[in-house]
Amino acid sequence: MQYARPSSIKEASGLLAKARGKAFVLAGGTDLLVRMKGDFVEPDLIVDIKAIKGLNEIKKTAKGFSIGAAVPCAAMGENKALKKAWPGVVEAANLIGSDQIQGRCTAAGNLCNASPAADSVPALVAAGAKVVIAGPKKKRTVAIEKIPAGPGKTTLAKGEIVEAIQLDKRPARSGDAYLRFIPRSEMDIAVVSAGVNLTLDGKGVVKAARVALGAVAPTVLLLPKAAKAIVGSKLDEEALEKLAAACSAACRPIDDKRGTVDFRIKVAGVLARRAAKIAYKRAGGK
Amino acid sequence: MTLGADFTGQKFKSVGTRPLRPDGVDKVTGRARYGADFNMPGQLVGRVLRSPHAHAKIKKIDTSRAEKLKGVKAVITAADLPDLTGGGDMFDILDNCMARKKAFYDGHAVAAVAAIDAPTAKKALKLIKVDYEVLPHVTDVDEAVKPGAPLLHKHMFTGGVEPKPKKPSNIANRCQYGHGDTEAGFKEADVIIERSYRTEQTHQGYIEPHACVASVSPDGTAEMWVCTQGHFVYRQQCAELLGIDVSKLRVTSSEIGGGFGGKTHIWAEPLALALSRKANRPVKLVMSREEVFRASGPTSATSVDVKLGAKKDGTITAAEATLRYSNGPYAGMWAELGAMTSFACYDLTNVKTVGYEVLVNRPKVAAYRAPSAPMAAFAIESAMDELAQQIGMDPVKFRIKNAAKEGTKSSYGPVYGPIGIGPTLEASLKHPHMKAKLGKNQGRGMACGFWFNFGGQTCTDLNIGVDGTVALAVGTVDVGGSRASLSLVCAEELGIPYEQVKAVVADTSTLGHNDMTDGSRGTFSSSMATIFAARNAIKVLRERAAQMWDISVDDVVWEDGQAKAKGQKHGNLAPLSLKEIAAAAPNTGGPIAGHSEIVADGAGVSFATHICDVEVDPETGATRVVRYTVVQDAGKAVHPSYVEGQYQGGAAQGIGWALNEEYIYGKDGRLQNPGFLDYRIPVCSDLPMIDTQILEIPNPKHPYGVRGVGETSIVPPLAAIANAVSNAVGVRMTHIPMSPPRILAALEKKKAH
Amino acid sequence: MGGIAVTTTINGDEVDFVCHAEETLLDVLRDRLGLTGAKEGCGTGDCGACSVIMDGRVVCSCLVLGAEAEGKKIGTVEGMASGDKLHPLQTKFLEHAALQCGVCTPGFLIAAKALLDRNPDPSEEEIRYGLAGNLCRCTGYDKIVRAVQDAAKVMKGA
């Protein structure tokens, strides 16, 4: 196995594009090394992107935030401005594993590992995040929900690397939240999860919403129908019931060692309700 | 808190205090050496090839390509180990270490290699070609007893059944315990409860995987460094399996990173020795976490039917339990232990327990802290709780009414001496926990537990140095701080400060046979042996003092760490301290020592009552423990901090077992969760502080009244939590673990009615 | 199979080693540098027994490649004491009997140190969540939490 630590994204992309065997990007390593230990992958080449300038930074601009692909999730939680603007995105990223994992794992890695249960992805999808992709061809920017293609698979072409995750500037009266269900209090992979992002009008009525569910389908589900159920409401009981029902109906979960179909369907609705309420409060709703 | 009369009439100076443990600094600085922390020059890396099938005939193993790989120094299969197919206990042990004719579970070892490094060993395993004929498998304890279930052994006829069955089955044994007439007893009952329960398989979950370094010489001598709860037993068994003289195999016990019964059996150690012998180089063999789950020794999964009958006034008139315990592929006594412990807490006129040992295609079951008791207690204590509820009696008072006491004939046979079940129940009633307020969706439950505790063969060596310090060599492995407790006992007997004693765990060449540290016998037996060794040393010390004074030894007493000349005629003789006598030893007859070889008897049964508050989220079934109290009888707590630690640790394991831990098998018979991610033991944020109350009802069979304490604490939590959940959200959980999907399903079912 | 030459700093000392690309930092510490304080309990980042500090953050060394140690500052349990003076956490773990078998203890000490360095006055809940990445099977965590609380007091100069 070869290990490379390029200092530019061009170099990194080149190494990946030219690689003859199995090549993997290494950011935090908290998924890749686990897969190597379990003999699920046997890389021929590992490209460590942590020495690439700029990838380690969270940039705040007039247009919003840009989170470099090598930024550890712990650093996202330590960034006051990011946490204030996007509490749901940050709490989702900070739920991934223990403190030991948090110091290493990255949201970009979480996305590209493409587990259906990835914690940061539903919140980022609900937030309308975009992904900047560098590669052999021109740089492109894509809606984040377009990246996961199935369990362990992304839509990235050979040689392409996620360079940054972008979040737009927040309109006023906006809030987001992420909740996941795990059997213990920590350290588990999400059994089912929900990310809700809301913007309210001056009267506290939901004027825009995005709802995403995790761990209930091969990839994260973005549910416009579920979002519609709460737009125009102040999250009264009827609207929340419709939201929960829409979420439960849209789930396509499996039975596995972490949960049953019935459980996931039921709890998806419960979590969506709870996350919506938290997001509403964060947006200033009463 | 001390209950019971002044037992020994003795005021303890060292016993009962809380000094720092002698092995502590090494453990907080990383200096302590565990199984995988040791290396021998020139050592090879050992790795094991394991069956991916739950049940398969091994038709052929071709190791030729692996043997030819550069860097591979030895490859072994069952052909390199003795053929014990003639039968006997050792056959099962050996066959589990390496499969001979059939692979019986996913993870069963079929071959092993020793190579110059890990990547080479890994490659070598891939080059071994095994021809399997896959057979139908059965992994469920209830499925395995159904007619038509795949058979593990064609010639297994259930033992303990008259007449002997004509057809083979997966039931290895049937056993029965009890007395009286339960049929008559049920007729007298006003209320009868009949329920069935299931518990899934769990693992001891020690953080340190099995590890050893083995070195065999061409002259037949061998040494092995290994993490184990019983280096003497490991030595005996490994020597037998390899055809080495027991005295030629020196086994050194490393510090052990947890065992809980799982390190009382040999797993890969004979393989490391066999590889070393073949390669003529040391071999280090460390199991991965996945291997630990797949191929060491988890507990039984169980299926238990309980029937209880009681009068309106709360007197139990009859109690029955039928228990099915799974074992792996080989017969054991797990069901028997369950049948014995089921009703041990109670004074019953009519009681009957029947146990069935069921074989399944899962790893060989090993002991796990009070083995078999937690599952039986879950069933019985849940049923007891329901019965109390139906009668309308407080659950604690119901148990007090029926509790066993001194003179009770136990349900498993013996008559009890002074015991603690009544006192722990009374103490629980009065405990502040019982009066604490409960919040929304919170419920309180309680349950009792019992464990026998064992004695066993124990040797201790006590050597007094010329400077007066005492070296105490014990043979029982220190799993949780017993060196501290033994040093306290030694200091107590000799009357010297704790700091003057240094306890070490000796290896097999320097001490006589010691049974394993299990059955909660570590402190009980070793302390007894230590006391006797110290008393033997005191005899010698008195003789030396007598010599130094030139008086009769009958006129010398040992008091407060000193020899004193008693009687008026010796009034002007100043006492001689241990240090002074030790300094003079070279001139009075040489080094001073005390030995003891005993079979420690009468470890004293230990009872506990646990109280637990849980909070259940009714929309998701998520359950967390918000308050927990352990009340348990220790006889005499030698080092209270470590007794508390045993109570808390056992309770935590029981909580994990109750809520989340289970082996999950797929339809293909493969273990799906062989890792700490999906085998979910409690993490720090899952638990509250665990309160402990140590009762001291002295054990008359020990000089200080000590009872075994390490195991009972894992017995009550399963039912305590189930009973708490019932009081929180009104559903009776009969399937352990009570994971959120199971609780939510129970809640949904209740809503639907 | 070529090796990767790495220069790093461990417990304040400059250290050079050569390792293969697939070796983890845990492998290197234990098998090449003789620092066996960090333990392999699982190899997959689920138990924390291999915890070390890397550039000020606690990490699982089983999930870091040896090669990634280049230019980093690494702290292990062997470096916690100052000469013969134990770190307050080490002392408090002993006083509170916060270890039984002790195999998880190095990982806990490192994680607790990282926690207190970042948050000198943690609540019980913050301690419990901060240490959730470290598994202990012996103690039930009660005495570990008390030891950390007590050490925090000492370190604050209370």
Side-chain angles (χ1 to χ4, degrees), chain B residues 205-220:
Chain B
Y206 33 85
I207 305 301
E208 176 201 33
H210 303 265
C212 68
V213 186
S215 179
V216 182
S217 233
D219 69 357

Side-chain angles (χ1 to χ4, degrees), chain B residues 393-401 425-426 428-429 434 446 609:
Chain B
M393 225 176 141
D394 171 272
V396 181
K397 295 196 176 127
F398 176 60
R399 285 169 176 79
I400 289 173
K401 191 171 173 65
L425 286 163
E426 300 281 357
S428 304
L429 266 184
M434 281 301 198
M446 56 75 60
T609 298

Side-chain angles (χ1 to χ4, degrees), chain B residues 89-109:
Chain B
D89 287 340
M90 292 308 287
F91 172 79
D92 287 350
I93 293 174
L94 179 61
D95 198 64
N96 190 56
C97 290
M98 181 144 308
R100 179 166 285 271
K101 295 219 179 89
K102 283 212 287 184
F104 281 104
Y105 53 92
D106 168 34
H108 200 165

Side-chain angles (χ1 to χ4, degrees), chain A residues 1-205:
Chain A
M1 188 182 98
Q2 298 294 316
Y3 167 87
R5 194 192 297 123
S7 46
S8 75
I9 198 113
K10 190 164 172 225
E11 198 189 332
S13 164
L15 285 167
L16 290 166
K18 282 197 227 87
R20 259 172 292 171
K22 285 167 275 178
F24 291 84
V25 172
L26 173 67
T30 54
D31 282 319
L32 181 60
L33 268 71
V34 174
R35 292 166 71 197
M36 283 165 64
K37 179 82 180 179
D39 286 328
F40 294 111
V41 293
E42 271 185 70
D44 298 300
L45 170 66
I46 285 187
V47 177
D48 184 347
I49 60 168
K50 294 192 290 296
I52 297 174
K53 194 165 186 283
L55 253 51
N56 220 315
E57 293 163 18
I58 301 174
K59 292 195 199 82
K60 181 166 192 268
T61 67
K63 282 209 254 161
F65 289 92
S66 176
I67 305 165
V71 170
C73 290
M76 288 172 68
E78 289 153 10
N79 189 302
K80 286 200 178 80
L82 183 65
K83 204 167 167 187
K84 187 158 187 262
W86 294 100
V89 166
V90 171
E91 72 193 343
N94 286 156
L95 279 173
I96 303 172
S98 58
D99 280 9
Q100 286 90 336
I101 302 297
Q102 281 286 301
R104 297 274 294 168
C105 69
T106 64
N110 195 225
L111 173 72
C112 295
N113 186 54
S115 158
D119 276 316
S120 66
V121 182
L124 285 166
V125 168
K130 296 191 206 50
V131 169
V132 177
I133 302 167
K137 301 202 191 107
K138 219 173 83 141
K139 240 183 237 200
R140 57 195 185 100
T141 302
V142 159
I144 198 165
E145 58 265 28
K146 297 252 183 350
I147 302 296
K153 291 195 187 71
T154 68
T155 54
L156 296 176
K158 186 170 168 143
E160 288 193 312
I161 307 178
V162 168
E163 190 181 76
I165 295 174
Q166 288 181 337
L167 292 163
D168 283 339
K169 185 165 156 54
R170 215 77 166 94
R173 289 184 294 273
S174 297
D176 65 339
Y178 172 81
L179 289 175
R180 68 175 182 180
F181 185 87
I182 53 170
R184 291 182 291 184
S185 58
E186 248 296 4
M187 296 303 279
D188 290 328
I189 300 292
V191 179
V192 50
S193 64
V196 177
N197 180 22
L198 305 172
T199 300
L200 312 180
D201 70 12
K203 296 198 190 77
V205 174

